[in-house]
Amino acid sequence: MTNLDQTPLLSVEALNKSFGRQAACRDVSFELWPGEVLGIVGESGSGKSTLLNAIAGRLSVDSGKVLYRTGGNDIIDLAAASEAQRRHLMRTEWGFVQQHARDGLRMTFSAGANIGERLMALGQKHYGSLRDTALDWLQAVEIAPDRIDDLPRTFSGGMQQRLQIARNLVTRPRIVLMDEPTGGLDVSVQARLLDLIRRLVQEHNVACIVVTHDLGVARLLAHRLMVMRRGQVVEAGLTDQLLDDPQHAYTQLLVSSVLSV
Amino acid sequence: MSVQQNYRTGATLAGYNFAFLDEQTKRMLRRAILKAVAIPGYQVPFGSREMPLPYGWGTGGMQVTAAVIGSKDVLKVIDQGADDTTNAVSIRRFFVRMTNVATTEKTRAATLIQTRHRVPEIPLSEGQILVYQVPIPEPLRWLEPRETETRKMHALSEYGVMHVKLYEDIAQHGHISTAYDYPVVVNGRYLMRCSPIPKFDTPKLNMNPALQLFGAGREKRIYAVPPYTEVKPLDFEDHPFEVERWPESCALCGAGDSFLDEVILDDKGSRMFVCSDTDYCGERREAGHTGRMSAPYKAEAAE
Ligand SMILES: Nc1ncnc2c1ncn2[C@@H]1O[C@H](COP(=O)(O)OP(=O)(O)OP(=O)(O)O)[C@@H](O)[C@H]1O
Ligand SMILES: [Mg+2]
Ligand SMILES: [Zn+2]
């Protein structure tokens, strides 16, 4: 992490989101720097997915700012941006990898079409080059090129996640949000996916927010960690420091529960 | 256009208003039509009325026709290019009863043409109105069942997924295999369905001097392509839009530039190709053109 720019890519300021009387995110503030991987950990129901969806504008927030520095170096508040602008950014400079591939892939499109969709949305109209790009990305995510015309449902869980990653990275996004990207996968499949994510994130210098309740995943992927509990960030810091020397009682509990397994 | 000429001329059949619909309904439909003309390719919702035909038989087209028809109009109704199919005959008979207007099978003589599945071969001219019967108006419906979402996609011109569909065509078949209801962009803005006409007819929508109106009864949508509006089929740079071709010309009139239907002649597999547009074929034969099945055989020389 030597070549980070001087201003954050994203700064979230005092974000609040409730569902009725249930406060899912309370006063959440943090910054994300170019190329940085931020992990969000916390027990089930602590507000991790809500935070991710609020940042991506998939949920409207009650209050707070989501300031994003665009590729053109404009700072825009995504919480207040027009839907057109937000949707455009989400298709170009942002990516979102879902826990369940069926939410993040077009299950009725072939693998090649899944990869090409964002490019076509941006106006690419050359079949041959779309095809070439899809083949390159299949290779990059370790899927055999002869699967290019197959439907995602013929893929294993790990392959589906890798296809989702390719589909997102194809427009060279600057930020990718991932919600439990390795959840529900076998341990060996998880390990391979984690290696791949690590490699691609480095190669493409993309900033990531990775939600997980697996501290092992967090340690492997994240430079920095945020611990959430009941909608609040209770502790944040460099991953190794935070996991080796947790300060907050809740973090201590999380870490010790992992160690005792 | 006959929207303006359409004043009330009195009941033609006891108990019914001119063109079946009451004046209030016609006004509502005309407002929708005017809005559709003002925003080419945009689907305008309207309050669909019961017509004396079930949905799927052209009730949307009939409502549009009923809203624009005037007593001086000359009506032509075609289905699959022919004036004498059941659907065309019953719609034409209905409007004759309800309006007493003159009818014709001649494309050139008609002021108002209601159609299903074809655009006439004889080029339309200024002042004519072509009304299409539309079963499914929304070009994005195959992908997105939610109306709120498709409206948003139109509003934001998020049409990339339509190219995904064509991409899949090429990946599977080696070429764009979509043969009917080919997706187009109207006036550089709205994605539109042309109704299930063969893609052969798609280029005819472009810069057409006639007013083209589209009515979907079940889905309660009207849209329009005003005269001289650009209509562009979607395609890829390396797989450009192309229309169908046939190995032969029309067996009756020798036409090599029309949409041909294949007719099986016997159970040994003999077949011939004839114009699907019966008026066009007839006009050519009257002018002396002949084809393979009409002696003397002069089709090639006539071309
Ligand atoms: N759409 C919703 N409507 C109502 N309540 C919701 C909604 N989404 C989330 N919540 C509530 O907000 C709180 C935070 O949920 P969230 O899904 O963000 O948790 P999480 O940390 O992602 O949990 P998990 O690890 O199980 O995915 C929970 O109490 C949840 O019940
Ligand atoms: Mg969650
Ligand atoms: Zn003919």
Side-chain angles (χ1 to χ4, degrees), chain A residues 5 13 15 50 56 86 147 151 162 173 181 187 220 251 255 261:
Chain A
D5 295 356
E13 295 178 5
L15 188 141
T50 303
R86 196 174 49 65
R147 305 301 302 270
L151 293 176
R162 298 204 297 277
V187 177
L220 254 171
T251 317
V255 172
V261 174

Side-chain angles (χ1 to χ4, degrees), chain B residues 2 18-19 61-62 64-78 83 87-115 128-131 133:
Chain B
S2 58
F18 180 79
M62 285 172 77
V64 170
T65 296
V68 301
I69 198 167
S71 59
K72 298 198 190 95
D73 268 313
V74 180
L75 178 69
K76 171 181 164 79
V77 181
I78 46 172
D83 300 76
N87 187 238
V89 168
S90 58
I91 292 174
R92 185 168 52 241
R93 190 188 302 135
F94 170 80
F95 279 111
V96 168
R97 280 212 202 136
M98 293 295 158
T99 64
N100 236 335
V101 299
T103 63
T104 182
E105 298 193 355
K106 297 264 166 232
T107 298
R108 295 180 205 282
T111 59
L112 181 58
I113 304 172
Q114 180 169 331
T115 182
Q128 289 184 304
I129 298 180
L130 183 60
V131 176
Q133 298 170 204

Side-chain angles (χ1 to χ4, degrees), chain A residues 19-20 22-25 42-51 59 99 179-180 211 213:
Chain A
F19 297 103
Q22 174 76 38
C25 290
E43 66 191 356
S44 185
S46 57
K48 306 182 297 292
S49 296
T50 303
L51 178 60
L59 283 175
Q99 172 172 2
D179 196 351
E180 307 275 7
V211 159
H213 49 241

Side-chain angles (χ1 to χ4, degrees), chain B residues 200-219:
Chain B
F200 180 88
D201 285 341
T202 310
K204 296 177 187 166
L205 274 74
N206 184 42
M207 299 309 269
N208 197 310
L211 168 63
Q212 302 174 79
L213 302 175
F214 299 78
R218 189 182 40 217
E219 307 238 358

Side-chain angles (χ1 to χ4, degrees), chain B residues 90-160:
Chain B
S90 58
I91 292 174
R92 185 168 52 241
R93 190 188 302 135
F94 170 80
F95 279 111
V96 168
R97 280 212 202 136
M98 293 295 158
T99 64
N100 236 335
V101 299
T103 63
T104 182
E105 298 193 355
K106 297 264 166 232
T107 298
R108 295 180 205 282
T111 59
L112 181 58
I113 304 172
Q114 180 169 331
T115 182
R116 181 169 85 150
H117 294 181
R118 281 307 314 277
V119 178
E121 305 289 4
I122 293 168
L124 302 175
S125 49
E126 285 181 17
Q128 289 184 304
I129 298 180
L130 183 60
V131 176
Y132 296 78
Q133 298 170 204
V134 178
I136 304 169
E138 177 50 70
L140 299 166
R141 186 63 68 227
W142 62 278
L143 172 82
E144 177 53 66
R146 289 167 299 176
E147 178 69 15
T148 48
E149 191 61 18
T150 51
R151 296 219 134 227
K152 203 170 281 171
M153 291 167 79
H154 281 293
L156 303 176
S157 298
E158 285 182 4
Y159 294 146

Side-chain angles (χ1 to χ4, degrees), chain B:
Chain B
M1 58 196 228
S2 58
V3 175
Q4 280 126 29
Q5 320 168 346
N6 186 14
Y7 38 80
R8 188 175 170 182
T9 52
T12 38
L13 201 66
Y16 289 101
N17 193 32
F18 180 79
F20 182 75
L21 297 174
D22 61 78
E23 293 305 306
Q24 172 123 4
T25 301
K26 284 195 262 179
R27 264 197 298 277
M28 176 270 292
L29 285 163
R30 286 176 201 145
R31 270 199 295 273
I33 291 167
L34 287 173
K35 183 167 179 184
V37 168
I39 317 171
Y42 174 78
Q43 299 167 53
V44 183
F46 71 99
S48 185
R49 289 302 140 104
E50 290 302 319
M51 293 301 277
L53 274 183
Y55 290 129
W57 286 90
T59 54
M62 285 172 77
Q63 289 177 87
V64 170
T65 296
V68 301
I69 198 167
S71 59
K72 298 198 190 95
D73 268 313
V74 180
L75 178 69
K76 171 181 164 79
V77 181
I78 46 172
D79 183 14
Q80 307 275 7
D83 300 76
D84 56 2
T85 50
T86 319
N87 187 238
V89 168
S90 58
I91 292 174
R92 185 168 52 241
R93 190 188 302 135
F94 170 80
F95 279 111
V96 168
R97 280 212 202 136
M98 293 295 158
T99 64
N100 236 335
V101 299
T103 63
T104 182
E105 298 193 355
K106 297 264 166 232
T107 298
R108 295 180 205 282
T111 59
L112 181 58
I113 304 172
Q114 180 169 331
T115 182
R116 181 169 85 150
H117 294 181
R118 281 307 314 277
V119 178
E121 305 289 4
I122 293 168
L124 302 175
S125 49
E126 285 181 17
Q128 289 184 304
I129 298 180
L130 183 60
V131 176
Y132 296 78
Q133 298 170 204
V134 178
I136 304 169
E138 177 50 70
L140 299 166
R141 186 63 68 227
W142 62 278
L143 172 82
E144 177 53 66
R146 289 167 299 176
E147 178 69 15
T148 48
E149 191 61 18
T150 51
R151 296 219 134 227
K152 203 170 281 171
M153 291 167 79
H154 281 293
L156 303 176
S157 298
E158 285 182 4
Y159 294 146
V161 283
M162 284 313 283
H163 269 96
V164 176
K165 201 173 188 207
L166 300 181
Y167 167 98
E168 296 281 52
D169 255 13
I170 303 172
Q172 274 172 36
H173 308 284
H175 62 274
I176 298 177
S177 61
T178 302
Y180 289 87
D181 213 344
Y182 198 94
V184 294
V185 170
V186 179
N187 203 25
R189 177 59 183 85
Y190 282 101
L191 181 70
M192 188 187 91
R193 288 181 91 124
C194 303
S195 85
I197 56 171
K199 67 177 171 180
F200 180 88
D201 285 341
T202 310
K204 296 177 187 166
L205 274 74
N206 184 42
M207 299 309 269
N208 197 310
L211 168 63
Q212 302 174 79
L213 302 175
F214 299 78
R218 189 182 40 217
E219 307 238 358
K220 305 177 177 54
R221 293 286 184 279
I222 287 173
Y223 51 97
V225 175
Y228 302 110
T229 302
E230 185 192 70
V231 175
K232 265 187 84 155
L234 299 184
D235 61 2
F236 285 101
E237 286 156 14
D238 47 344
H239 286 267
F241 174 83
E242 276 176 357
V243 298
E244 303 87 329
R245 287 181 214 294
W246 289 266
E248 300 170 27
S249 48
C250 173
L252 300 178
C253 78
D257 59 355
S258 67
F259 186 87
L260 300 178
D261 286 335
E262 189 175 347
V263 180
I264 307 293
L265 295 173
D266 55 34
D267 53 13
K268 290 190 218 77
S270 316
R271 55 181 197 170
M272 65 172 186
F273 290 94
V274 293
C275 294
S276 108
D277 184 334
T278 49
D279 171 53
Y280 181 66
C281 198
E283 186 176 300
R284 280 180 55 87
R285 277 180 282 155
E286 269 168 41
H289 295 284
T290 55
R292 183 167 66 83
M293 304 289 281
S294 54
Y297 179 66
K298 276 189 191 146
E300 303 308 321
E303 282 307 293

Side-chain angles (χ1 to χ4, degrees), chain A residues 166-182:
Chain A
R167 165 180 163 81
N168 276 282
L169 290 187
V170 69
T171 54
R172 314 265 164 184
R174 303 168 74 226
I175 295 189
V176 175
L177 311 183
M178 303 190 191
D179 196 351
E180 307 275 7
T182 62

